[in-house]
PDB file of all heavy atoms in Angstrom:
ATOM      1  N   PRO P   1       0.831  -1.214   0.000  1.00  0.00           N
ATOM      2  CA  PRO P   1       0.000   0.000   0.000  1.00  0.00           C
ATOM      3  C   PRO P   1       0.864   1.262   0.000  1.00  0.00           C
ATOM      4  O   PRO P   1       1.149   1.841   1.030  1.00  0.00           O
ATOM      5  CB  PRO P   1      -0.794  -0.127   1.298  1.00  0.00           C
ATOM      6  CG  PRO P   1       0.116  -0.898   2.194  1.00  0.00           C
ATOM      7  CD  PRO P   1       0.879  -1.833   1.304  1.00  0.00           C
ATOM      8  N   ILE P   2       1.300   1.666  -1.167  1.00  0.00           N
ATOM      9  CA  ILE P   2       2.152   2.848  -1.283  1.00  0.00           C
ATOM     10  C   ILE P   2       1.264   4.062  -1.537  1.00  0.00           C
ATOM     11  O   ILE P   2       0.513   4.094  -2.508  1.00  0.00           O
ATOM     12  CB  ILE P   2       3.178   2.675  -2.419  1.00  0.00           C
ATOM     13  CG1 ILE P   2       4.089   1.489  -2.086  1.00  0.00           C
ATOM     14  CG2 ILE P   2       3.968   3.959  -2.645  1.00  0.00           C
ATOM     15  CD1 ILE P   2       5.020   1.096  -3.200  1.00  0.00           C
ATOM     16  N   ILE P   3       1.371   5.047  -0.671  1.00  0.00           N
ATOM     17  CA  ILE P   3       0.575   6.267  -0.794  1.00  0.00           C
ATOM     18  C   ILE P   3       1.528   7.405  -1.129  1.00  0.00           C
ATOM     19  O   ILE P   3       2.558   7.577  -0.485  1.00  0.00           O
ATOM     20  CB  ILE P   3      -0.199   6.556   0.501  1.00  0.00           C
ATOM     21  CG1 ILE P   3      -1.176   5.410   0.779  1.00  0.00           C
ATOM     22  CG2 ILE P   3      -0.930   7.889   0.406  1.00  0.00           C
ATOM     23  CD1 ILE P   3      -1.898   5.508   2.085  1.00  0.00           C
ATOM     24  N   ARG P   4       1.179   8.175  -2.141  1.00  0.00           N
ATOM     25  CA  ARG P   4       2.020   9.269  -2.598  1.00  0.00           C
ATOM     26  C   ARG P   4       1.164  10.530  -2.639  1.00  0.00           C
ATOM     27  O   ARG P   4       0.022  10.499  -3.086  1.00  0.00           O
ATOM     28  CB  ARG P   4       2.540   8.923  -3.996  1.00  0.00           C
ATOM     29  CG  ARG P   4       3.549   9.829  -4.549  1.00  0.00           C
ATOM     30  CD  ARG P   4       4.043   9.348  -5.921  1.00  0.00           C
ATOM     31  NE  ARG P   4       3.011   9.575  -6.926  1.00  0.00           N
ATOM     32  CZ  ARG P   4       2.486   8.613  -7.700  1.00  0.00           C
ATOM     33  NH1 ARG P   4       2.884   7.376  -7.578  1.00  0.00           N
ATOM     34  NH2 ARG P   4       1.571   8.895  -8.579  1.00  0.00           N
ATOM     35  N   PHE P   5       1.710  11.631  -2.197  1.00  0.00           N
ATOM     36  CA  PHE P   5       0.990  12.896  -2.205  1.00  0.00           C
ATOM     37  C   PHE P   5       1.637  13.829  -3.222  1.00  0.00           C
ATOM     38  O   PHE P   5       2.847  13.992  -3.231  1.00  0.00           O
ATOM     39  CB  PHE P   5       1.017  13.536  -0.810  1.00  0.00           C
ATOM     40  CG  PHE P   5       0.301  12.718   0.211  1.00  0.00           C
ATOM     41  CD1 PHE P   5       0.993  11.825   1.013  1.00  0.00           C
ATOM     42  CD2 PHE P   5      -1.072  12.812   0.362  1.00  0.00           C
ATOM     43  CE1 PHE P   5       0.337  11.051   1.949  1.00  0.00           C
ATOM     44  CE2 PHE P   5      -1.739  12.043   1.296  1.00  0.00           C
ATOM     45  CZ  PHE P   5      -1.041  11.161   2.097  1.00  0.00           C
ATOM     46  N   GLU P   6       0.802  14.411  -4.095  1.00  0.00           N
ATOM     47  CA  GLU P   6       1.278  15.318  -5.119  1.00  0.00           C
ATOM     48  C   GLU P   6       0.425  16.574  -5.106  1.00  0.00           C
ATOM     49  O   GLU P   6      -0.737  16.530  -4.720  1.00  0.00           O
ATOM     50  CB  GLU P   6       1.198  14.658  -6.502  1.00  0.00           C
ATOM     51  CG  GLU P   6       2.082  13.447  -6.636  1.00  0.00           C
ATOM     52  CD  GLU P   6       2.024  12.829  -8.025  1.00  0.00           C
ATOM     53  OE1 GLU P   6       1.422  13.431  -8.929  1.00  0.00           O
ATOM     54  OE2 GLU P   6       2.586  11.739  -8.188  1.00  0.00           O
ATOM     55  N   THR P   7       0.986  17.668  -5.589  1.00  0.00           N
ATOM     56  CA  THR P   7       0.198  18.894  -5.674  1.00  0.00           C
ATOM     57  C   THR P   7      -0.813  18.769  -6.807  1.00  0.00           C
ATOM     58  O   THR P   7      -0.587  18.029  -7.782  1.00  0.00           O
ATOM     59  CB  THR P   7       1.092  20.122  -5.935  1.00  0.00           C
ATOM     60  OG1 THR P   7       1.700  19.983  -7.224  1.00  0.00           O
ATOM     61  CG2 THR P   7       2.154  20.283  -4.850  1.00  0.00           C
ATOM     62  N   ILE P   8      -1.906  19.491  -6.694  1.00  0.00           N
ATOM     63  CA  ILE P   8      -2.924  19.496  -7.748  1.00  0.00           C
ATOM     64  C   ILE P   8      -2.297  20.021  -9.041  1.00  0.00           C
ATOM     65  O   ILE P   8      -2.554  19.503 -10.126  1.00  0.00           O
ATOM     66  CB  ILE P   8      -4.128  20.373  -7.334  1.00  0.00           C
ATOM     67  CG1 ILE P   8      -4.782  19.845  -6.051  1.00  0.00           C
ATOM     68  CG2 ILE P   8      -5.135  20.507  -8.475  1.00  0.00           C
ATOM     69  CD1 ILE P   8      -5.312  18.440  -6.116  1.00  0.00           C
ATOM     70  N   GLU P   9      -1.455  21.032  -8.914  1.00  0.00           N
ATOM     71  CA  GLU P   9      -0.803  21.604 -10.085  1.00  0.00           C
ATOM     72  C   GLU P   9       0.051  20.565 -10.804  1.00  0.00           C
ATOM     73  O   GLU P   9       0.061  20.500 -12.042  1.00  0.00           O
ATOM     74  CB  GLU P   9       0.059  22.813  -9.680  1.00  0.00           C
ATOM     75  CG  GLU P   9      -0.733  24.008  -9.190  1.00  0.00           C
ATOM     76  CD  GLU P   9      -1.266  23.872  -7.759  1.00  0.00           C
ATOM     77  OE1 GLU P   9      -0.804  22.977  -7.005  1.00  0.00           O
ATOM     78  OE2 GLU P   9      -2.159  24.653  -7.405  1.00  0.00           O
ATOM     79  N   HIS P  10       0.761  19.729 -10.054  1.00  0.00           N
ATOM     80  CA  HIS P  10       1.592  18.674 -10.643  1.00  0.00           C
ATOM     81  C   HIS P  10       0.719  17.661 -11.398  1.00  0.00           C
ATOM     82  O   HIS P  10       1.056  17.246 -12.511  1.00  0.00           O
ATOM     83  CB  HIS P  10       2.405  17.975  -9.549  1.00  0.00           C
ATOM     84  CG  HIS P  10       3.292  16.891 -10.049  1.00  0.00           C
ATOM     85  ND1 HIS P  10       4.480  17.143 -10.689  1.00  0.00           N
ATOM     86  CD2 HIS P  10       3.151  15.536 -10.019  1.00  0.00           C
ATOM     87  CE1 HIS P  10       5.033  16.004 -11.045  1.00  0.00           C
ATOM     88  NE2 HIS P  10       4.257  15.008 -10.642  1.00  0.00           N
ATOM     89  N   ILE P  11      -0.393  17.289 -10.812  1.00  0.00           N
ATOM     90  CA  ILE P  11      -1.309  16.343 -11.468  1.00  0.00           C
ATOM     91  C   ILE P  11      -1.841  16.932 -12.764  1.00  0.00           C
ATOM     92  O   ILE P  11      -1.858  16.271 -13.808  1.00  0.00           O
ATOM     93  CB  ILE P  11      -2.468  15.961 -10.525  1.00  0.00           C
ATOM     94  CG1 ILE P  11      -1.932  15.155  -9.346  1.00  0.00           C
ATOM     95  CG2 ILE P  11      -3.553  15.198 -11.273  1.00  0.00           C
ATOM     96  CD1 ILE P  11      -2.937  14.947  -8.239  1.00  0.00           C
ATOM     97  N   MET P  12      -2.263  18.194 -12.717  1.00  0.00           N
ATOM     98  CA  MET P  12      -2.811  18.834 -13.919  1.00  0.00           C
ATOM     99  C   MET P  12      -1.745  18.956 -15.007  1.00  0.00           C
ATOM    100  O   MET P  12      -2.035  18.743 -16.190  1.00  0.00           O
ATOM    101  CB  MET P  12      -3.411  20.190 -13.564  1.00  0.00           C
ATOM    102  CG  MET P  12      -4.659  20.054 -12.702  1.00  0.00           C
ATOM    103  SD  MET P  12      -5.439  21.617 -12.355  1.00  0.00           S
ATOM    104  CE  MET P  12      -5.989  22.072 -13.987  1.00  0.00           C
ATOM    105  N   GLU P  13      -0.517  19.280 -14.639  1.00  0.00           N
ATOM    106  CA  GLU P  13       0.573  19.395 -15.613  1.00  0.00           C
ATOM    107  C   GLU P  13       0.861  18.033 -16.246  1.00  0.00           C
ATOM    108  O   GLU P  13       1.062  17.933 -17.460  1.00  0.00           O
ATOM    109  CB  GLU P  13       1.837  19.959 -14.950  1.00  0.00           C
ATOM    110  CG  GLU P  13       2.931  20.273 -15.920  1.00  0.00           C
ATOM    111  CD  GLU P  13       2.544  21.294 -16.987  1.00  0.00           C
ATOM    112  OE1 GLU P  13       1.817  22.258 -16.679  1.00  0.00           O
ATOM    113  OE2 GLU P  13       2.963  21.107 -18.145  1.00  0.00           O
ATOM    114  N   ASN P  14       0.849  16.963 -15.448  1.00  0.00           N
ATOM    115  CA  ASN P  14       1.056  15.617 -15.996  1.00  0.00           C
ATOM    116  C   ASN P  14      -0.062  15.231 -16.952  1.00  0.00           C
ATOM    117  O   ASN P  14       0.184  14.622 -17.994  1.00  0.00           O
ATOM    118  CB  ASN P  14       1.169  14.589 -14.872  1.00  0.00           C
ATOM    119  CG  ASN P  14       2.525  14.587 -14.220  1.00  0.00           C
ATOM    120  OD1 ASN P  14       3.485  15.136 -14.743  1.00  0.00           O
ATOM    121  ND2 ASN P  14       2.616  13.963 -13.057  1.00  0.00           N
ATOM    122  N   GLU P  15      -1.303  15.561 -16.593  1.00  0.00           N
ATOM    123  CA  GLU P  15      -2.431  15.259 -17.481  1.00  0.00           C
ATOM    124  C   GLU P  15      -2.305  16.016 -18.800  1.00  0.00           C
ATOM    125  O   GLU P  15      -2.584  15.476 -19.857  1.00  0.00           O
ATOM    126  CB  GLU P  15      -3.752  15.604 -16.793  1.00  0.00           C
ATOM    127  CG  GLU P  15      -4.112  14.661 -15.673  1.00  0.00           C
ATOM    128  CD  GLU P  15      -5.382  15.049 -14.940  1.00  0.00           C
ATOM    129  OE1 GLU P  15      -5.911  16.158 -15.171  1.00  0.00           O
ATOM    130  OE2 GLU P  15      -5.844  14.233 -14.122  1.00  0.00           O
ATOM    131  N   LYS P  16      -1.857  17.274 -18.723  1.00  0.00           N
ATOM    132  CA  LYS P  16      -1.670  18.083 -19.923  1.00  0.00           C
ATOM    133  C   LYS P  16      -0.593  17.452 -20.811  1.00  0.00           C
ATOM    134  O   LYS P  16      -0.747  17.354 -22.026  1.00  0.00           O
ATOM    135  CB  LYS P  16      -1.272  19.499 -19.527  1.00  0.00           C
ATOM    136  CG  LYS P  16      -1.384  20.509 -20.648  1.00  0.00           C
ATOM    137  CD  LYS P  16      -0.909  21.899 -20.241  1.00  0.00           C
ATOM    138  CE  LYS P  16      -1.641  22.417 -19.041  1.00  0.00           C
ATOM    139  NZ  LYS P  16      -1.217  23.783 -18.664  1.00  0.00           N
ATOM    140  N   LYS P  17       0.496  16.988 -20.206  1.00  0.00           N
ATOM    141  CA  LYS P  17       1.583  16.358 -20.959  1.00  0.00           C
ATOM    142  C   LYS P  17       1.105  15.067 -21.615  1.00  0.00           C
ATOM    143  O   LYS P  17       1.423  14.795 -22.770  1.00  0.00           O
ATOM    144  CB  LYS P  17       2.768  16.067 -20.033  1.00  0.00           C
ATOM    145  CG  LYS P  17       3.955  15.452 -20.734  1.00  0.00           C
ATOM    146  CD  LYS P  17       5.063  15.123 -19.772  1.00  0.00           C
ATOM    147  CE  LYS P  17       6.272  14.519 -20.430  1.00  0.00           C
ATOM    148  NZ  LYS P  17       6.032  13.444 -21.363  1.00  0.00           N
ATOM    149  N   ILE P  18       0.311  14.283 -20.891  1.00  0.00           N
ATOM    150  CA  ILE P  18      -0.218  13.036 -21.453  1.00  0.00           C
ATOM    151  C   ILE P  18      -1.106  13.337 -22.657  1.00  0.00           C
ATOM    152  O   ILE P  18      -1.011  12.674 -23.689  1.00  0.00           O
ATOM    153  CB  ILE P  18      -0.985  12.230 -20.379  1.00  0.00           C
ATOM    154  CG1 ILE P  18       0.009  11.672 -19.352  1.00  0.00           C
ATOM    155  CG2 ILE P  18      -1.817  11.125 -21.007  1.00  0.00           C
ATOM    156  CD1 ILE P  18      -0.648  11.110 -18.101  1.00  0.00           C
ATOM    157  N   ARG P  19      -1.957  14.361 -22.550  1.00  0.00           N
ATOM    158  CA  ARG P  19      -2.822  14.729 -23.672  1.00  0.00           C
ATOM    159  C   ARG P  19      -1.997  15.187 -24.880  1.00  0.00           C
ATOM    160  O   ARG P  19      -2.306  14.824 -26.019  1.00  0.00           O
ATOM    161  CB  ARG P  19      -3.818  15.813 -23.253  1.00  0.00           C
ATOM    162  CG  ARG P  19      -4.980  15.290 -22.428  1.00  0.00           C
ATOM    163  CD  ARG P  19      -6.094  16.308 -22.295  1.00  0.00           C
ATOM    164  NE  ARG P  19      -5.689  17.554 -21.674  1.00  0.00           N
ATOM    165  CZ  ARG P  19      -5.605  17.779 -20.372  1.00  0.00           C
ATOM    166  NH1 ARG P  19      -5.905  16.824 -19.526  1.00  0.00           N
ATOM    167  NH2 ARG P  19      -5.237  18.954 -19.907  1.00  0.00           N
ATOM    168  N   ARG P  20      -0.923  15.969 -24.635  1.00  0.00           N
ATOM    169  CA  ARG P  20      -0.054  16.411 -25.731  1.00  0.00           C
ATOM    170  C   ARG P  20       0.623  15.216 -26.395  1.00  0.00           C
ATOM    171  O   ARG P  20       0.698  15.132 -27.623  1.00  0.00           O
ATOM    172  CB  ARG P  20       1.005  17.385 -25.212  1.00  0.00           C
ATOM    173  CG  ARG P  20       0.526  18.811 -25.051  1.00  0.00           C
ATOM    174  CD  ARG P  20       1.690  19.767 -24.840  1.00  0.00           C
ATOM    175  NE  ARG P  20       2.589  19.349 -23.801  1.00  0.00           N
ATOM    176  CZ  ARG P  20       2.650  19.864 -22.569  1.00  0.00           C
ATOM    177  NH1 ARG P  20       1.831  20.821 -22.219  1.00  0.00           N
ATOM    178  NH2 ARG P  20       3.518  19.419 -21.691  1.00  0.00           N
ATOM    179  N   ASP P  21       1.111  14.271 -25.584  1.00  0.00           N
ATOM    180  CA  ASP P  21       1.775  13.081 -26.121  1.00  0.00           C
ATOM    181  C   ASP P  21       0.811  12.243 -26.954  1.00  0.00           C
ATOM    182  O   ASP P  21       1.180  11.738 -28.017  1.00  0.00           O
ATOM    183  CB  ASP P  21       2.376  12.235 -24.999  1.00  0.00           C
ATOM    184  CG  ASP P  21       3.567  12.900 -24.317  1.00  0.00           C
ATOM    185  OD1 ASP P  21       4.070  13.921 -24.837  1.00  0.00           O
ATOM    186  OD2 ASP P  21       3.977  12.398 -23.246  1.00  0.00           O
ATOM    187  N   GLU P  22      -0.426  12.097 -26.477  1.00  0.00           N
ATOM    188  CA  GLU P  22      -1.430  11.324 -27.223  1.00  0.00           C
ATOM    189  C   GLU P  22      -1.758  12.015 -28.537  1.00  0.00           C
ATOM    190  O   GLU P  22      -1.879  11.360 -29.580  1.00  0.00           O
ATOM    191  CB  GLU P  22      -2.696  11.156 -26.384  1.00  0.00           C
ATOM    192  CG  GLU P  22      -2.536  10.184 -25.234  1.00  0.00           C
ATOM    193  CD  GLU P  22      -3.748  10.137 -24.317  1.00  0.00           C
ATOM    194  OE1 GLU P  22      -4.668  10.977 -24.466  1.00  0.00           O
ATOM    195  OE2 GLU P  22      -3.764   9.260 -23.441  1.00  0.00           O
ATOM    196  N   LEU P  23      -1.872  13.335 -28.512  1.00  0.00           N
ATOM    197  CA  LEU P  23      -2.158  14.086 -29.730  1.00  0.00           C
ATOM    198  C   LEU P  23      -1.009  13.923 -30.727  1.00  0.00           C
ATOM    199  O   LEU P  23      -1.236  13.687 -31.913  1.00  0.00           O
ATOM    200  CB  LEU P  23      -2.382  15.568 -29.405  1.00  0.00           C
ATOM    201  CG  LEU P  23      -2.681  16.484 -30.577  1.00  0.00           C
ATOM    202  CD1 LEU P  23      -3.955  16.036 -31.291  1.00  0.00           C
ATOM    203  CD2 LEU P  23      -2.817  17.921 -30.102  1.00  0.00           C
ATOM    204  N   ALA P  24       0.222  14.017 -30.245  1.00  0.00           N
ATOM    205  CA  ALA P  24       1.388  13.857 -31.122  1.00  0.00           C
ATOM    206  C   ALA P  24       1.412  12.466 -31.750  1.00  0.00           C
ATOM    207  O   ALA P  24       1.713  12.321 -32.940  1.00  0.00           O
ATOM    208  CB  ALA P  24       2.671  14.117 -30.330  1.00  0.00           C
ATOM    209  N   ARG P  25       1.074  11.429 -30.955  1.00  0.00           N
ATOM    210  CA  ARG P  25       1.034  10.060 -31.507  1.00  0.00           C
ATOM    211  C   ARG P  25      -0.041   9.940 -32.582  1.00  0.00           C
ATOM    212  O   ARG P  25       0.161   9.311 -33.618  1.00  0.00           O
ATOM    213  CB  ARG P  25       0.789   9.044 -30.392  1.00  0.00           C
ATOM    214  CG  ARG P  25       2.042   8.615 -29.676  1.00  0.00           C
ATOM    215  CD  ARG P  25       1.819   7.383 -28.817  1.00  0.00           C
ATOM    216  NE  ARG P  25       0.771   7.557 -27.820  1.00  0.00           N
ATOM    217  CZ  ARG P  25       0.946   8.137 -26.624  1.00  0.00           C
ATOM    218  NH1 ARG P  25       2.125   8.604 -26.291  1.00  0.00           N
ATOM    219  NH2 ARG P  25      -0.050   8.246 -25.783  1.00  0.00           N
ATOM    220  N   ASN P  26      -1.200  10.553 -32.347  1.00  0.00           N
ATOM    221  CA  ASN P  26      -2.284  10.498 -33.326  1.00  0.00           C
ATOM    222  C   ASN P  26      -1.893  11.197 -34.623  1.00  0.00           C
ATOM    223  O   ASN P  26      -2.173  10.704 -35.713  1.00  0.00           O
ATOM    224  CB  ASN P  26      -3.562  11.119 -32.759  1.00  0.00           C
ATOM    225  CG  ASN P  26      -4.192  10.258 -31.692  1.00  0.00           C
ATOM    226  OD1 ASN P  26      -3.944   9.060 -31.619  1.00  0.00           O
ATOM    227  ND2 ASN P  26      -5.005  10.856 -30.851  1.00  0.00           N
ATOM    228  N   VAL P  27      -1.240  12.349 -34.506  1.00  0.00           N
ATOM    229  CA  VAL P  27      -0.785  13.076 -35.696  1.00  0.00           C
ATOM    230  C   VAL P  27       0.234  12.240 -36.448  1.00  0.00           C
ATOM    231  O   VAL P  27       0.182  12.121 -37.675  1.00  0.00           O
ATOM    232  CB  VAL P  27      -0.205  14.457 -35.304  1.00  0.00           C
ATOM    233  CG1 VAL P  27       0.509  15.103 -36.476  1.00  0.00           C
ATOM    234  CG2 VAL P  27      -1.319  15.364 -34.782  1.00  0.00           C
ATOM    235  N   LEU P  28       1.164  11.630 -35.742  1.00  0.00           N
ATOM    236  CA  LEU P  28       2.178  10.783 -36.371  1.00  0.00           C
ATOM    237  C   LEU P  28       1.532   9.599 -37.079  1.00  0.00           C
ATOM    238  O   LEU P  28       1.884   9.277 -38.219  1.00  0.00           O
ATOM    239  CB  LEU P  28       3.184  10.296 -35.322  1.00  0.00           C
ATOM    240  CG  LEU P  28       4.341   9.448 -35.834  1.00  0.00           C
ATOM    241  CD1 LEU P  28       5.172  10.232 -36.842  1.00  0.00           C
ATOM    242  CD2 LEU P  28       5.208   8.989 -34.676  1.00  0.00           C
ATOM    243  N   ASP P  29       0.557   8.956 -36.407  1.00  0.00           N
ATOM    244  CA  ASP P  29      -0.141   7.824 -37.022  1.00  0.00           C
ATOM    245  C   ASP P  29      -0.846   8.251 -38.309  1.00  0.00           C
ATOM    246  O   ASP P  29      -0.805   7.544 -39.317  1.00  0.00           O
ATOM    247  CB  ASP P  29      -1.156   7.220 -36.052  1.00  0.00           C
ATOM    248  CG  ASP P  29      -0.496   6.487 -34.898  1.00  0.00           C
ATOM    249  OD1 ASP P  29       0.724   6.216 -34.966  1.00  0.00           O
ATOM    250  OD2 ASP P  29      -1.206   6.198 -33.899  1.00  0.00           O
ATOM    251  N   CYS P  30      -1.477   9.414 -38.279  1.00  0.00           N
ATOM    252  CA  CYS P  30      -2.184   9.906 -39.463  1.00  0.00           C
ATOM    253  C   CYS P  30      -1.210  10.225 -40.589  1.00  0.00           C
ATOM    254  O   CYS P  30      -1.460   9.892 -41.751  1.00  0.00           O
ATOM    255  CB  CYS P  30      -3.001  11.152 -39.121  1.00  0.00           C
ATOM    256  SG  CYS P  30      -4.469  10.806 -38.137  1.00  0.00           S
TER     257      CYS P  30
END
């Protein structure tokens, strides 16, 4: 049971990066 605490800002920045990476992969695939 590993519990990790992160700032909300860090979570939002990671989500933004994941969305950018997914978009880049989709563009590359196309």
Side-chain angles (χ1 to χ4, degrees):
I2 298 172
I3 298 174
R4 188 177 73 237
F5 296 95
E6 297 182 9
T7 65
I8 300 300
E9 293 77 15
H10 180 77
I11 293 169
M12 292 184 67
E13 188 59 38
N14 281 345
E15 289 177 350
K16 194 183 304 182
K17 182 183 181 312
I18 290 168
R19 283 193 301 277
R20 279 193 309 257
D21 291 349
E22 287 174 351
L23 180 60
R25 275 194 302 277
N26 289 339
V27 169
L28 183 60
D29 290 346
C30 287

